[in-house]
Amino acid sequence: MAVPVDQAAGAVSTASTAPAVERARDAAARESWAEAYTLLYEADRHPSAALGPDDLDLLADAAWWAGHVDESVAARLRAQAGYVAAGDHRGAGHTAWWLYFEYRCLGRPAAAAGWLRRARHHLEQDPDCPEQCYLAWTDAEEAQEHHDPGAALAAARRMNHLAGRSGSPDLIALSRQAHAAVLLANGRRREGLSLLDDAMCSVMAGELSGTFTGWLYCLALTQCMEAADFGRAVEWTHAAMTWCEPPWPPASRALAGRHPDPPPEHSRPAEDPGRRRPARPPDGHDSPGRTPVRNGPDAAEPGLAAEPALGGHDNPRPVPTGAGQARRVGPTGLDLTPAGPAGPAVAVTEGAEGQRAVPLTDNPFRGLCRIHYVEVLDLLGAWTLAEAEAGRVCQEVLVDSLEAAAAAHYAAGEIRRRQGRLDEAALSYAHAHELGRIPQPGLALLRLAQGKADAAVTGLRLALACQSEPRHDLICRARLLAAQTEVALAVGDVGGSATAVAELEALAADATLLSAMADTARGALALARQEPAQRPLRRALAAWLELRIPYDAAQVRMLLAAADRAAGDEEAARLELAAARATFERLGAAPDARRAAALLAGRPGTRGTLPGGLTSREAEVLRLVAAGRTNKDIARTLVISEHTVARHLNNIFAKLDVTSRAAATAYAYAHDLAEVVSGK
């Protein structure tokens, strides 16, 4: 509440401000953060009435939900000073921890470290208070960063103990998620996912406050994708997007008195320390130590974040209400316009300086959840929608969540690369890189499609070397290894491909998605070695179909067609090619669709003419590629330079509309060009 003053004028000012503050508290209890922000903002500007630390903390929360990150930090700094002045160690420690967290998200590690030390100093006065949960959580994360699984597990168990004593559903669910994260990082997949299921029950049942609901959705979705658990990712992504949809929030979910009081030995009658602290989630989208990068129109690429075709956002900044838009009016002249084609919500407030337009993000978690939705849509083959949703991510995320914007640019690049829009894909990868993401393996596969095999090899090698915790993000590691297999085969490095396949198979464990990737890579390697490939490729196809991931299923069908033709089963090969072409055409993967059509049109056994417009020299090079020869071997055999071999390969790839050595080999088998070299 406001600090009392003795002067008569001050007393009048305080009295006039108090009703607004009370309404703001009520709005915050209902999680109507836009309303709370506007009321507290105006109350805080009153010349004679000072907000107390609790209300400043509330202003910090509301400012974050309203999209004003800098105001949030500034208000929390003042709140922390107020708690210190009042001798409130728990309040000071809790606010100091949030300042550590917010500064870390903003890429200011030195400031973050200082506030973490202050949080520990204040909270050591009460080692069993609920606020200690946050320190235990931090301890678990730091132990994992220092490769100390024993300490991480001990910290997670301490967090569980403290959360249980607090009686807070928010903290209990968060502690289970944190424990699950430690178990998953240590390879205890079944135990970790079981605990994560437990935590998500509370989320999906609507038992938690909005802050912790958003946190746990973002954390769980990140962990599902990293663990390559596609089934859970699909289920929870759809639930998260339903929760995020405007208008938000519905009727009050964070009811006063819902949480039991802490044990009687605590000196301070406590509220739930989690329910009142809505800061952004530590979901893998923030990187301690990074420098925030602008994400406005000057950082946008054509078709993403600024082009109406992608999500309908033709202006990355909020604009006033347009004609025909629904309007929602709150108290004290608060005019709320729901997010729509023009951008996020806008509040128009009446203050001493007249009307003030305030941009509002009614749910800052929306962009963080939407990027997971984009990834799921991409895998499921809904590419048009995924590309549009990627554009919306760039509209919705705050300045402390730019990793989500980077992921959106990367996802758009992947779609554009597979559709043959190579220049647009390159621009997408460049923007992802600007925002701090290593754009691999997509960039390497793009370079391979452009005939720049050396750049592809180097990019993947560096990306694999930079991944310090391979088992922490299994799907990322697996994608890099799968791409390395393809690139290695393209340059004739069968040994390098075999090494990548072996590591990929070791990662697979009981994850269907990883097993499908491993079997696909094993089949491609077997095909390049002219070994039987049908068994791993059939397993891969069954898995991709089970997961309903159409693009990868179609790619496996292309490999199966080559394997079937090598085995003399022309009918089976044509069935696979027809199915693959239909899928590629539906997805808009034009280069792959043309390649499938060309293979279907091929007539094995016709040696009089060369298919694809190949010259006789190019056909010789292709036959040697199909035999598994390296560029050096081909140069030695044909008595030409390696540079000339590379030039012939570029011409072959362009004429046949293929992007890899494996694809060229498949073409050679389909058109009876490999038999001369194979000795048949």
Side-chain angles (χ1 to χ4, degrees):
M1 65 171 51
V3 176
V5 294
D6 295 332
Q7 294 86 351
V12 172
S13 298
T14 302
S16 64
T17 305
V21 174
E22 291 296 333
R23 291 199 303 274
R25 293 171 187 163
D26 176 69
R30 291 182 281 107
E31 297 190 319
S32 181
W33 294 109
E35 180 184 342
Y37 169 73
T38 302
L39 290 165
L40 287 169
Y41 177 88
E42 290 299 329
D44 192 46
R45 294 174 67 247
H46 202 284
S48 302
L51 296 180
D54 284 343
D55 291 324
L56 286 169
D57 222 4
L58 203 61
L59 174 58
D61 296 344
W64 182 83
W65 279 90
H68 303 289
V69 177
D70 291 341
E71 289 183 38
S72 174
V73 173
R76 213 176 298 280
L77 285 167
R78 293 166 58 200
Q80 208 274 340
Y83 285 128
V84 171
D88 183 348
H89 284 289
R90 282 180 61 185
H94 196 191
T95 308
W97 186 89
W98 279 110
L99 285 166
Y100 145 75
F101 190 57
E102 289 181 303
Y103 276 121
R104 189 185 77 171
C105 294
L106 288 169
R108 297 182 59 184
W115 284 110
L116 181 59
R117 286 179 61 84
R118 287 199 181 187
R120 295 189 189 280
H121 168 72
H122 287 295
L123 294 179
E124 69 184 5
Q125 312 294 326
D126 192 348
D128 293 323
C129 66
E131 288 84 356
Q132 287 280 352
C133 283
Y134 297 96
L135 293 181
W137 189 18
T138 304
D139 291 340
E141 290 186 336
E142 288 183 345
Q144 286 182 263
E145 290 172 3
H146 291 92
H147 310 286
D148 190 345
L153 190 57
R157 286 172 176 164
R158 172 169 166 73
M159 185 181 178
N160 281 333
H161 171 72
L162 291 166
R165 293 190 59 187
S166 77
S168 162
D170 284 334
L171 290 178
I172 290 170
L174 183 63
S175 69
R176 287 172 180 161
Q177 180 281 324
H179 194 180
V182 172
L183 293 174
L184 288 170
N186 292 336
R188 296 164 66 175
R189 182 183 178 86
R190 291 188 180 181
E191 295 173 79
L193 291 174
S194 177
L195 265 179
L196 197 56
D197 286 341
D198 193 349
M200 292 304 293
C201 280
S202 299
V203 175
M204 299 181 75
E207 298 170 359
L208 309 184
S209 67
T211 298
F212 280 73
T213 297
W215 262 12
L216 285 165
Y217 268 131
C218 292
L219 289 162
L221 290 172
T222 297
Q223 288 168 342
C224 282
M225 292 306 295
E226 288 178 350
D229 192 319
F230 189 57
R232 284 180 173 86
V234 171
E235 181 179 347
W236 292 343
T237 296
H238 285 295
M241 293 311 299
T242 299
W243 175 76
C244 285
E245 283 307 306
W248 193 97
S252 174
R253 285 183 254 181
L255 301 176
R258 186 189 63 187
H259 302 318
D261 289 333
E265 65 265 27
H266 292 297
S267 59
R268 174 182 174 185
E271 59 192 291
D272 177 354
R275 186 163 52 88
R276 53 189 281 264
R277 297 291 184 267
R280 72 175 296 282
D283 61 343
H285 293 305
D286 66 87
S287 294
R290 66 175 170 80
T291 301
V293 182
R294 289 176 298 169
N295 189 34
D298 56 339
E301 62 191 81
L304 192 63
E307 184 174 315
L310 286 184
H313 297 285
D314 57 1
N315 187 336
R317 305 305 305 165
V319 298
T321 309
Q325 285 185 308
R327 296 168 72 87
R328 184 156 49 103
V329 180
T332 66
L334 179 65
D335 177 17
L336 296 179
T337 303
V346 176
V348 180
T349 66
E350 294 287 351
E353 302 171 355
Q355 286 193 339
R356 174 174 178 262
V358 181
L360 297 173
T361 56
D362 61 336
N363 189 340
F365 291 103
R366 185 177 295 130
L368 298 173
C369 291
R370 195 180 302 280
I371 186 55
H372 297 293
Y373 184 47
V374 169
E375 293 170 350
V376 167
L377 289 172
D378 180 17
L379 286 171
L380 292 176
W383 288 357
T384 300
L385 180 57
E387 193 173 1
E389 292 293 286
R392 297 185 66 184
V393 170
C394 295
Q395 301 294 317
E396 294 168 343
V397 295
L398 302 183
V399 295
D400 60 346
S401 307
L402 293 183
E403 288 79 7
H409 285 290
Y410 180 81
E414 288 290 87
I415 293 168
R416 292 163 177 176
R417 174 180 61 81
R418 292 187 299 247
Q419 290 182 331
R421 299 152 59 191
L422 301 189
D423 290 341
E424 293 177 68
L427 188 59
S428 295
Y429 294 141
H431 282 299
H433 183 265
E434 288 171 6
L435 292 173
R437 180 185 178 117
I438 298 175
Q440 297 291 4
L443 182 59
L445 296 175
L446 173 67
R447 295 302 179 225
L448 186 64
Q450 294 171 328
K452 301 175 182 177
D454 290 344
V457 171
T458 302
L460 284 174
R461 185 180 70 249
L462 292 176
L464 284 162
C466 288
Q467 202 180 20
S468 58
E469 294 289 344
R471 296 200 65 86
H472 177 66
D473 190 347
L474 294 178
I475 189 65
C476 178
R477 185 74 177 182
R479 283 169 170 163
L480 288 170
L481 291 169
Q484 188 181 42
T485 301
E486 181 175 346
V487 171
L489 289 175
V491 299
D493 182 8
V494 177
S497 175
T499 301
V501 170
E503 184 179 348
L504 187 52
E505 289 175 330
L507 288 178
D510 58 348
T512 304
L513 181 59
L514 297 182
S515 296
M517 296 173 73
D519 283 332
T520 301
R522 172 59 65 184
L525 176 61
L527 189 61
R529 287 172 165 174
Q530 300 183 27
E531 297 172 350
Q534 281 92 342
R535 182 171 295 180
L537 291 175
R538 290 290 175 196
R539 286 198 307 264
L541 179 59
W544 292 123
L545 292 175
E546 177 188 344
L547 292 167
R548 300 184 181 181
I549 299 179
Y551 181 76
D552 293 273
Q555 290 285 16
V556 171
R557 289 189 186 278
M558 296 292 286
L559 294 172
L560 267 172
D564 290 338
R565 278 185 167 168
D569 191 343
E570 175 62 24
E571 183 178 4
R574 296 186 67 79
L575 287 172
E576 298 294 358
L577 289 170
R581 181 179 64 176
T583 299
F584 291 140
E585 288 175 346
R586 177 172 57 82
L587 293 173
D592 292 300
R594 289 194 297 268
R595 179 162 59 95
L599 291 173
L600 271 171
R603 295 291 184 269
T606 56
R607 291 183 176 274
T609 59
L610 294 172
L614 296 175
T615 66
S616 58
R617 177 62 89 181
E618 288 166 354
E620 286 181 293
V621 171
L622 179 58
R623 289 181 182 118
L624 292 167
V625 167
R629 305 288 183 86
T630 66
N631 283 15
K632 184 179 291 186
D633 293 336
I634 296 171
R636 186 182 301 112
T637 300
L638 299 180
V639 196
I640 57 179
S641 70
E642 289 186 55
H643 176 77
T644 302
V645 173
R647 179 169 54 80
H648 284 313
L649 278 175
N650 285 337
N651 291 338
I652 292 167
F653 284 8
K655 288 181 178 181
L656 303 186
D657 198 13
V658 299
T659 59
S660 70
R661 248 180 154 90
T665 298
Y667 188 97
Y669 274 106
H671 292 80
D672 202 23
L673 295 175
E675 294 181 0
V676 171
V677 173
S678 61
K680 294 182 181 179

